[in-house]
């Protein structure tokens, strides 16, 4: 399932490195025109058929980007920019899921040339592989998109050379269409030598994250992506990602409960997304074994993925806010959204009562409404907020179902009156 739904068209958008200033406005200037065009194209291609899966791969050459605060801000603002563009152009990322966008970041160089730029850099986050890994992936992309700029063209040509095609014509003959999109303007400044800031106290090979993951949206995608990035890439064999998924019983009082996806649906959605992005990170991150496990813990259903790389992903049905973090001592890190950051302290307090080590907590920013950074005005009425809310997605599904029912009832009454 690493490539997404079996018949979904797969597209790849290659983006050159982002501007030095990581802000919504700077990213819009750099990528906005190209993103708008590719999203419109993908939405048109999705009409009346399968949704397009769009992998957006952002290149980076500067080691500084792989500090946790900067990378999660970059990916968060990129998802936010994509949602703003989709709102402006009536493209649906969630409800009808016209376009399934997935962001990754990779190093521009080659792995065997990639050396840490700082003596403590081994503790910082790692990118999703490098250009060699990305281009050498067997993902069956049908369309390859790039921007019209000198850095973007250089990146594209390197990708084509590694992929096995030396020109546009060669790639076209291999049934991969190449599309060049309007480029933007990026301003780059060299970073001062003392800019490196360490935020992680160590490396983690057992990490937990939790959520409802109902109608998987960009907020969930950002949370899951950052969880994967926290994983120590040097200790993959035997490493474990534990995904706590809220049990159905705890969700019975949610708004529009009838539209809520059940545990198997939500687990499969998370699994498909995670395998999709991890498969671009490493050629060995492909599913080797899938097991439905009878849980011996206080939790509910469990599904375990074992990847050929040795990484294990556990999807655990949970019935309390702490989940496996207080039943599995081997977990050393917790990733959570900023709106639930208090939960990290609760978990560590309970672990402390057991004499266990505290978890290192990594926060992921909430994707806020409003186009301008820091703009909190009129958020209640902002359409973007609906783009990242599972509750709003369920409401829209409910309203559409009610509209269909009303129309059907009206048609039936009309037939009877005739």
């Amino acid at each position: 399932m690493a490539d997404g739904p079996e018949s979904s068209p797969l597209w790849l958008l290659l983006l050159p490195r982002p501007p030095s200033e990581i802000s919504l406005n700077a990213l819009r200037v750099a990528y906005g025109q190209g993103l708008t065009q590719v999203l419109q194209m993908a939405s048109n291609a999705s009409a009346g058929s399968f949704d397009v899966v769009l992998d957006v791969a952002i290149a980076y050459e500067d080691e500084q980007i792989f500090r946790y605060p900067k990378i999660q801000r970059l990916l968060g603002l990129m998802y936010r920019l994509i949602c703003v563009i989709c709102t402006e152009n009536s493209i649906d990322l969630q409800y009808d899921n016209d376009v399934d966008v997935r962001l990754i970041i990779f190093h521009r160089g080659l792995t065997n040339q990639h050396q840490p730029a700082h003596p403590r850099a081994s503790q910082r986050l790692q990118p999703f592989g490098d250009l060699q890994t990305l281009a050498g992936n067997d993902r069956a992309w049908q369309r390859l998109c790039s921007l019209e700029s000198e850095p973007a063209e250089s990146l594209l040509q390197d990708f084509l050379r590694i992929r096995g095609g030396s020109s546009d014509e060669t790639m076209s003959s291999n049934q991969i269409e190449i599309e060049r999109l309007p480029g933007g303007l990026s301003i780059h400044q060299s970073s001062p030598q003392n800019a490196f800031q360490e935020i992680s106290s160590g490396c983690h090979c057992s990490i937990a994250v939790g959520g409802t993951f109902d109608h998987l949206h960009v907020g969930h995608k950002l949370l899951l992506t950052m969880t994967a990035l926290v994983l120590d890439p040097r200790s993959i064999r035997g490493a474990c990602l534990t995904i706590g998924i809220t049990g159905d019983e705890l969700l019975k009082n949610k708004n529009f409960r009838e539209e809520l996806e059940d545990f198997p649906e939500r687990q499969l959605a998370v699994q498909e997304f995670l395998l999709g992005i991890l498969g671009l990170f490493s050629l060995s991150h492909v599913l080797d074994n899938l097991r439905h496990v009878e849980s011996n813990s206080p939790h509910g259903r469990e599904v375990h993925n074992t990847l050929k790389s040795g990484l294990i992903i556990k999807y655990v049905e949970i019935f309390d806010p702490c989940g496996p973090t207080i039943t599995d001592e081997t977990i050393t890190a917790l990733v959570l959204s900023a709106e639930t950051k208090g939960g990290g302290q609760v978990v560590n307090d309970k672990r402390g009562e057991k004499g266990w080590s505290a978890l290192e907590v990594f926060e992921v920013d909430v994707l806020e409404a409003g186009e301008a950074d820091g703009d909190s005005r009129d958020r209640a009425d902002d359409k973007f907020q609906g783009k990242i809310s599972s509750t709003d997605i369920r409401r829209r599904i409910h309203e559409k179902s009610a509209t269909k029912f009303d129309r059907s009832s009206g048609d039936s009454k009309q037939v009877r009156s005739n």
Side-chain angles (χ1 to χ4, degrees):
M1 296 181 63
D3 281 346
E6 184 177 352
S7 301
S8 293
L10 301 174
W11 293 16
L12 172 65
L13 171 61
L14 287 175
L15 293 178
R17 64 173 177 158
S20 301
E21 177 197 357
I22 303 300
S23 68
L24 188 67
N25 289 336
L27 292 173
R28 182 154 197 164
V29 170
Y31 302 139
Q33 283 186 292
L35 277 172
T36 299
Q37 186 165 321
V38 74
L39 288 166
Q40 288 174 330
M41 290 164 48
S43 180
N44 292 337
S46 298
S49 61
F50 295 96
D51 301 321
V52 169
V53 174
L54 175 63
D55 294 319
V56 178
I58 308 168
Y60 219 93
E61 303 167 21
D62 183 2
E63 298 292 340
Q64 310 296 330
I65 186 61
F66 299 112
R67 292 175 294 159
Y68 182 90
K70 193 169 186 178
I71 194 171
Q72 75 91 24
R73 176 169 171 78
L74 170 64
L75 295 181
L77 286 176
M78 283 295 294
Y79 269 128
R80 182 176 166 191
L81 174 59
I82 288 167
C83 283
V84 169
I85 291 172
C86 287
T87 299
E88 292 172 348
N89 293 275
S90 300
I91 298 169
D92 208 318
L93 283 178
Q94 310 307 328
Y95 173 36
D96 290 324
N97 203 26
D98 289 348
V99 187
D100 182 358
V101 180
R102 303 164 183 192
L103 294 176
I104 64 165
I105 185 168
F106 67 98
H107 198 273
R108 180 68 170 80
L110 303 179
T111 300
N112 58 9
Q113 299 172 348
H114 179 37
Q115 299 295 330
H118 187 277
R120 296 177 66 198
S122 60
Q123 293 184 2
R124 53 124 171 83
L125 298 182
Q126 299 290 327
F128 277 127
D130 58 15
L131 182 60
Q132 182 79 48
T133 305
L134 181 68
N137 198 284
D138 61 359
R139 185 76 59 97
W141 291 298
Q142 290 129 332
R143 178 167 289 187
L144 171 59
C145 301
S146 178
L147 302 185
E148 293 176 330
S149 70
E150 186 174 338
E153 186 64 25
S154 173
L155 176 62
L156 174 62
Q157 293 307 317
D158 285 347
F159 179 94
L160 295 178
R161 185 172 60 254
I162 298 169
R163 187 76 172 178
S166 58
S167 66
D168 293 21
E169 291 76 15
T170 304
M171 296 302 285
S172 295
S173 67
N174 292 330
Q175 298 182 330
I176 301 180
E177 300 178 29
I178 295 178
E179 187 83 33
R180 288 176 176 81
L181 310 168
L185 175 65
S186 294
I187 299 176
H188 302 285
Q189 299 173 343
S190 59
S191 302
Q193 291 299 312
N194 62 356
F196 193 97
Q197 299 175 8
E198 191 61 59
I199 69 97
S200 176
S201 61
C203 301
H204 300 283
C205 59
S206 184
I207 302 164
V209 67
T212 60
F213 300 109
D214 180 44
H215 296 282
L216 198 75
H217 56 63
V218 292
H220 299 139
K221 292 177 181 180
L222 177 61
L223 189 65
L224 292 169
T225 301
M226 293 311 302
T227 302
L229 279 168
V230 170
L231 189 68
D232 181 6
R234 300 166 299 169
S235 307
I236 290 296
R237 187 156 295 279
C240 182
L241 293 180
T242 301
I243 318 296
I245 302 176
T246 308
D248 295 341
E249 184 63 23
L250 287 185
L251 303 177
K252 62 183 181 181
N253 293 325
K254 288 279 189 179
N255 291 332
F256 308 106
R257 170 65 182 85
E258 64 277 11
E259 309 299 345
L260 189 86
E261 295 174 321
D262 60 20
F263 175 82
E265 290 178 290
R266 290 180 284 131
Q267 183 272 318
L268 281 173
V270 173
Q271 173 179 297
E272 189 274 324
F273 176 78
L274 267 179
L275 294 183
I277 61 169
L278 286 171
L280 295 175
F281 178 22
S282 170
L283 301 180
S284 61
H285 280 332
V286 294
L287 187 61
D288 187 42
N289 181 270
L290 183 150
R291 294 188 301 132
H292 291 263
V293 179
E294 292 293 332
S295 177
N296 295 320
S297 70
H299 314 299
R301 293 164 283 187
E302 292 190 21
V303 178
H304 292 188
N305 293 167
T306 301
L307 310 190
K308 289 184 178 179
S309 61
L311 174 64
I312 297 172
I313 307 176
K314 297 179 181 179
Y315 310 90
V316 182
E317 185 180 21
I318 58 175
F319 299 107
D320 63 79
C322 296
T325 57
I326 59 171
T327 59
D328 184 351
E329 187 178 2
T330 66
I331 296 173
T332 60
L334 173 65
V335 182
L336 43 73
S337 67
E339 64 183 347
T340 59
K341 61 183 178 181
Q345 187 59 53
V346 172
V347 166
N348 281 332
D349 287 345
K350 291 182 178 294
R351 287 177 68 92
E353 293 171 2
K354 294 186 172 190
W356 294 0
S357 298
L359 302 181
E360 182 168 12
V361 178
F362 294 85
E363 292 183 16
V364 175
D365 289 339
V366 177
L367 299 185
E368 297 179 349
E371 185 173 348
D373 288 339
D375 182 7
S376 60
R377 294 169 298 175
D378 300 326
R379 284 185 181 171
D381 297 325
D382 198 300
K383 292 186 291 183
F384 175 71
Q385 184 65 35
K387 286 284 180 181
I388 55 175
S389 166
S390 294
T391 300
D392 188 72
I393 294 170
R394 293 196 300 272
R395 176 186 60 77
R396 293 164 66 194
I397 293 173
H398 175 81
E399 289 175 352
K400 185 172 182 179
S401 298
T403 300
K404 284 184 176 180
F405 177 79
D406 290 343
R407 287 176 178 173
S408 175
S409 299
D411 291 343
S412 299
K413 292 176 181 177
Q414 185 176 15
V415 168
R416 284 196 297 270
S417 65
N418 289 338

